[in-house]
Amino acid sequence: MKGRRSTASCHDAPTPPAADPTHAVVAVAGCPNSGKTTLFNHLAGERRLVGNWPGHTVERFEGRFEVEGTAFTAVDLPGTYGLVAVSADEEIAVRFLLDERPAVVVTVVDASNLEGSLHLAAQIGEAGLRQVIVLNMADVAERRGIRILLSQLAGAFAADVIPTMARRGTGLHQVRRAIAAAVGGPAPPPLAIDYGPILERQIDTLERAIAAHPGPASLAPPRWMALQLLAGDDGLARRMAGTSGGSRLMSAVAASRTAAAADGTGPELAIAERRFAWIRSLVAVSATSAEPRSRWRDRVDRVLTHRLGGLAVFLAVMWVVLRFATDVTAPLVDWIDAVVRGPLSRWAIGLLGLAGLDGGWVESLVVDGILAGVGGVLVFVPVLGGLYIMLGMLEDSGYLARAAAVMDRLMRAVGLPGRAFVPMVIGFGCNVPAVYATRTLDTPRDRLLTGLTIPFMSCGARLPVYVLLAGVFFAGQAALVVFSLYGLGVGVAILVALVAGRTALRETERVPFVMVLPDFRIPSSRVVWESTSQRTWSFVRRAGTVILGVSVGVWLLLAIPVGGGRFADTDVPDSAFGKLSRVVSPALRPLGLGEWEQAGALLSGLLAKEVVVATTAQLYGAEGGAVDTTKGAPSDFDTIGVGFIRAMAATVRAAPSAFIIGVPDFDDDNPTALDTAIRQSFEDGSGGHGALASLAFMVFVLLYTPCAATAAAIRHEFGTRIMWLSVGGQLVIAWVGALATYQGGRLIGLG
Amino acid sequence: MTTKSQPVAGAGSLDRIGPAHPVRVVGIHGTGRIIRRLAVLGMVPGSIVTVVRARQPVLVSIGGALLALDHHTARSILVEDIG
């Protein structure tokens, strides 16, 4: 069981792989949130992240698996409720099913909601595709008192029907066997549903027109194509119109649609009505009905979607998330800091000494370049881990869709659709998947407008910058500062949406807000662990690659003398980096950021936001001394082992404080040399308004181009022109925002 | 395109229905987009639905699922009492 390993996590842009022609293709399809990705992971031995919010998978994704020696290619598709697509992610699923006609479709059906989720299975059956129907969440159905007669369903669909609990991995062996049997078996006749005399007459007429159509023959059953054209499948209509004789066929379609609508109900609604009537009568004979929804569930949902109550709940949830990430993890951050600056640096110097390389430029590269830069970023791994744990729980709980429902009214007031709220919250973790998640929106206008606002959602990589600076200037208030910055990001996103939505991107069509609220559930520890470890690991990996590269690059630029001096023995201000930063520096002086180090850190941060921390640590570390060589320092064993136990204990003790407002009870540790150097520099650069200048710096980091990967994602989704517009706009907005912070703060006498 | 349903005695739009008693869908007014979004979720004539929350966002339980709708969309769904 080998699969193309991808974590689809931060900064990994999804790319559609080509299907391997030698293996039978098995597509995994189903309604959003029915557990397709979980099933796919089990089938293909993959570790794709799953999420309890509709629109998690917006790209098809491939893996391989074997059944008794035969290899198959499995394709995980975005969720869709039917085969007439409305949004871009649904279009990907529908076009794959209909154009590539996979050998077998594994249709994932929610066993606890048969009536709603058999619609897709019915359409796949009508399209004449071979399918294996998986009744997922069989346990939930059982809990609700639903008993299902599998043989009735299997008979109606002429397909194997297998109950599973994909989250626990039960029933998957049978799924594999059914897939193998279906691939080898004969193709079933297309499912036939009686659409009643009016529609049937039009279906007949169109079926004959399609049979007589001189264009290329299609593999799909003609009756199904007639039905699809009658139901208004624009994608299919466009393609048929392009073939020879297409215009004649299209006028036949238009005539049939008009004739079918003669009784006042449009054909798409009439077709769906008859299809659901068929499903209802099938469900009536094959399943017992569910116990009614429990009262307390309804009550909880009413509170969570209440106009004011729901908003308060959302703000409280975000407060806890950020509080947990910034304050609770602080002891662990201090521990890593102590390990990197103490034992790790000493060992590195010791090793270099053994190799006879100490005291020269190699030591400088290792200690001032790599350890200061990469170590400066790795220190914040616990912060990122904390953020990802909380976001993972949020995503798996089913809460996000409810938050989107509350926000619909507010979002609409600024010109954004309510559904856009989900990608925006995802952006708090990382902007890259958030940009791709805009595919779940209905219109190109909504997608673009949302895509323009996403970069202002403060992502995880920006968090270390805030924690570093807030720790220096706003000790004890870090969570409040961070929360305000997240709020400011949302505020700017709203402003951008207001301006763009009222000018270039005016709303032309009212998009309905229709969202299925997934069941609430207690987040699975396995799912949260997977998502936290993969995202955190992706952060660590980037520290080992991008940040390492940039750190070495910055060290080199710092080592190269401009106008006199020797390599690696240059005064920092005389280095190439110093000179380069000085060019940019004047533009930042009005923001209270007059020191060239600040310009340099922001300049390097165009690549990725953690780089700001790495460069800051390098620049000030070089002045402050990166290695802790204090006499009487604790032994390495104490620092690493005992220190870790102490840090864990302090973190656990602090965890409950995430839920309250106020300062957590931490031992106030003494400022490090780095802290002192940073404070000094911000005071100097602003003429004594250090705290205010640090706020301006954080505002700038919040608002300017998130990273090269986000810019690439925007280019992938919206084109090069929009990318430059977005990047340029962010730079201007960041400059104005930081200016307003600093000068406004001085006007009202802060700092 | 707009789909009109024939007027049904005792029918009203979904946004006027109080919570907790089931009603039957008799028609949907609105653009093709609204009809498509709703129809695939089973919001079609003949379906039985129950309003869980009557104000924006309107929450409706249908089959085993819970839908959230904006007020405008809820208004485009015509329902009748089931006696």
Side-chain angles (χ1 to χ4, degrees):
Chain A
M1 272 195 277
K2 275 192 6 220
R4 204 176 61 87
R5 167 59 47 85
S6 163
T7 55
S9 57
C10 197
H11 298 258
D12 293 338
T15 44
D20 185 332
T22 57
H23 300 155
V25 174
V26 177
V28 182
C31 301
N33 231 356
S34 55
K36 292 175 300 300
T37 300
T38 310
L39 183 85
F40 172 86
N41 283 346
H42 279 294
L43 268 185
E46 292 279 347
R47 289 172 58 205
R48 297 201 63 202
L49 295 184
V50 299
N52 190 11
W53 42 283
H56 184 269
T57 305
V58 291
E59 181 60 82
R60 60 188 237 219
F61 186 89
E62 276 186 32
R64 308 214 185 296
F65 67 101
E66 274 183 25
V67 186
E68 286 150 15
T70 314
F72 295 94
T73 300
V75 182
D76 188 21
L77 293 175
T80 181
Y81 292 100
L83 291 185
V84 179
V86 182
S87 58
D89 57 326
E90 293 167 352
E91 185 74 20
I92 291 168
V94 170
R95 293 277 72 95
F96 184 82
L97 289 173
L98 301 182
D99 298 348
E100 319 251 331
R101 292 191 74 84
V104 176
V105 182
V106 176
T107 311
V108 185
V109 167
D110 177 357
S112 65
N113 176 22
L114 281 181
E115 207 180 297
S117 56
L118 279 175
H119 181 256
L120 180 67
Q123 276 194 292
I124 288 171
E126 288 183 289
L129 289 161
R130 249 177 291 193
Q131 62 180 334
V132 170
I133 296 177
V134 168
L135 293 182
N136 198 24
M137 302 189 245
D139 49 338
V140 180
E142 202 169 306
R143 260 207 308 283
R144 292 198 191 154
I146 305 173
R147 276 204 304 282
I148 301 167
L149 279 173
L150 300 179
S151 56
Q152 285 281 356
L153 288 180
F157 283 99
D160 279 336
V161 178
I162 295 154
T164 63
M165 287 170 256
R167 267 162 84 88
R168 288 196 220 143
T170 51
L172 294 153
H173 185 59
Q174 290 91 312
V175 174
R176 280 205 194 89
R177 282 227 303 264
I179 291 169
V183 168
L191 183 68
I193 294 173
D194 179 9
Y195 284 97
I198 300 174
L199 286 170
E200 284 294 342
R201 195 173 314 128
Q202 299 313 321
I203 294 170
D204 262 3
T205 312
L206 279 182
E207 209 180 322
R208 275 198 301 278
I210 288 163
H213 181 61
S218 167
L219 289 167
R223 176 182 162 87
W224 180 80
M225 287 178 71
L227 197 57
Q228 208 56 9
L229 290 170
L230 205 55
D233 180 348
D234 296 332
L236 182 63
R238 263 197 304 278
R239 236 150 5 118
M240 297 301 280
T243 60
S244 71
S247 54
R248 190 155 3 115
L249 185 61
M250 282 309 111
S251 49
V253 169
S256 283
R257 277 174 62 85
T258 314
D263 75 338
T265 305
E268 51 257 88
L269 191 58
I271 288 172
E273 181 182 347
R274 299 294 300 206
R275 199 179 276 134
F276 272 102
W278 182 85
I279 292 169
R280 265 199 303 275
S281 60
L282 175 64
V283 171
V285 297
S286 54
T288 57
S289 51
E291 289 156 12
R293 275 172 60 86
S294 70
R295 284 242 190 102
W296 72 265
R297 264 176 188 281
D298 284 354
R299 223 169 269 155
V300 168
D301 277 332
R302 270 198 287 267
V303 171
L304 288 180
T305 54
H306 187 270
R307 195 152 45 105
L308 297 173
L311 191 65
V313 169
F314 176 72
L315 290 176
V317 165
M318 285 317 295
W319 169 256
V320 171
V321 168
L322 294 177
R323 177 83 175 200
F324 186 84
T326 55
D327 286 349
V328 175
T329 61
L332 286 170
V333 171
D334 290 344
W335 171 70
I336 299 185
D337 192 38
V339 171
V340 170
R341 296 159 64 82
L344 214 58
S345 299
R346 280 198 295 269
W347 293 346
I349 295 172
L351 274 178
L352 291 173
L354 286 180
L357 289 169
D358 53 335
W361 65 269
V362 179
E363 183 183 310
S364 162
L365 169 65
V366 172
V367 176
D368 304 333
I370 296 169
L371 276 176
V374 177
V377 171
L378 284 183
V379 160
F380 293 100
V381 164
V383 174
L384 273 289
L387 177 73
Y388 294 146
I389 285 178
M390 294 307 268
L391 287 182
M393 297 207 312
L394 215 54
E395 287 171 21
D396 200 45
S397 68
Y399 173 69
L400 281 188
R402 282 155 179 89
V406 182
M407 296 298 170
D408 178 53
R409 184 203 291 259
L410 290 175
M411 299 279 282
R412 221 178 263 277
V414 302
L416 285 166
R419 293 171 82 89
F421 187 71
V422 175
M424 286 168 85
V425 173
I426 297 309
F428 286 151
C430 174
N431 286 176
V432 175
V435 168
Y436 287 107
T438 59
R439 289 185 189 176
T440 55
L441 304 178
D442 275 10
T443 63
R445 177 258 179 202
D446 286 354
R447 282 198 279 281
L448 179 53
L449 190 57
T450 309
L452 289 177
T453 65
I454 296 253
F456 300 110
M457 299 291 114
S458 191
C459 66
R462 276 167 257 194
L463 203 45
V465 184
Y466 310 153
V467 174
L468 179 69
L469 286 181
V472 175
F473 292 97
F474 304 94
Q477 303 292 326
L480 191 63
V481 171
V482 172
F483 190 75
S484 314
L485 284 164
Y486 273 66
L488 177 66
V490 173
V492 170
I494 287 173
L495 270 180
V496 166
L498 267 176
V499 172
R502 295 275 184 284
T503 52
L505 292 169
R506 221 179 275 276
E507 197 172 22
T508 52
E509 178 190 4
R510 191 188 164 88
V511 172
F513 179 79
V514 178
M515 198 173 225
V516 177
L517 303 185
D519 266 346
F520 253 123
R521 61 185 182 212
I522 296 176
S524 132
S525 53
R526 202 175 45 78
V527 170
V528 173
W529 165 249
E530 265 305 309
S531 80
T532 305
S533 60
Q534 286 196 21
R535 289 167 176 179
T536 310
W537 178 237
S538 154
F539 179 79
V540 173
R541 213 172 39 216
R542 263 177 328 132
T545 51
V546 178
I547 314 291
L548 178 68
V550 175
S551 295
V552 172
V554 168
W555 178 85
L556 264 177
L557 288 175
L558 279 170
I560 296 170
V562 175
R566 287 188 317 127
F567 180 72
D569 194 22
T570 330
D571 274 345
V572 173
D574 296 326
S575 66
F577 192 84
K579 299 278 186 214
L580 193 66
S581 304
R582 257 175 241 283
V583 177
V584 186
S585 193
L588 300 178
R589 198 152 294 142
L591 318 182
L593 306 173
E595 296 287 278
W596 66 269
E597 287 97 335
Q598 295 156 346
L602 291 176
L603 201 60
S604 62
L606 279 170
L607 289 165
K609 282 288 145 340
E610 314 90 298
V611 172
V612 174
V613 168
T615 311
T616 302
Q618 260 180 290
L619 294 178
Y620 294 122
E623 295 160 11
V627 189
D628 185 3
T629 47
T630 347
K631 283 262 160 57
S635 75
D636 291 353
F637 174 77
D638 277 353
T639 311
I640 299 174
V642 180
F644 177 70
I645 293 166
R646 276 211 198 105
M648 274 314 278
T651 299
V652 172
R653 262 206 317 278
S657 75
F659 296 91
I660 53 159
I661 297 174
V663 185
D665 182 26
F666 286 143
D667 310 333
D668 206 36
D669 49 2
N670 299 318
T672 62
L674 179 63
D675 291 355
T676 314
I678 290 175
R679 178 179 281 279
Q680 194 54 48
S681 168
F682 274 83
E683 297 288 358
D684 292 350
S686 60
H689 306 282
L692 200 54
S694 81
L695 263 187
F697 189 88
M698 287 187 266
V699 167
F700 197 93
V701 167
L702 164 72
L703 298 176
Y704 85 125
T705 327
C707 61
T710 301
I714 289 175
R715 192 176 72 175
H716 186 255
E717 293 299 286
F718 308 114
T720 309
R721 232 166 45 96
I722 295 293
M723 178 194 80
W724 286 118
L725 180 79
S726 166
V727 168
Q730 285 151 24
L731 280 172
V732 172
I733 290 170
W735 192 84
V736 172
L739 182 78
T741 306
Y742 181 68
Q743 299 295 356
R746 292 201 54 187
L747 263 179
I748 59 171
L750 290 177
Chain B
M1 67 162 276
T2 301
T3 296
K4 284 218 179 81
S5 284
Q6 275 141 7
V8 180
S13 57
L14 190 65
D15 62 317
R16 307 265 180 111
I17 303 296
H21 72 111
V23 289
R24 182 185 292 115
V25 177
V26 292
I28 297 173
H29 286 290
T31 60
R33 189 182 296 282
I34 290 182
I35 288 173
R36 273 181 207 180
R37 274 269 171 243
L38 290 173
V40 288
L41 298 170
M43 192 66 85
V44 294
S47 296
I48 311 289
V49 301
T50 309
V51 172
V52 171
R53 177 186 147 84
R55 300 173 64 179
Q56 165 95 12
V58 179
L59 302 188
V60 190
S61 107
I62 173 171
L66 185 65
L67 293 190
L69 309 171
D70 63 315
H71 203 261
H72 185 264
T73 306
R75 201 166 5 186
S76 63
I77 301 170
L78 286 181
V79 294
E80 64 176 6
D81 266 328
I82 45 176

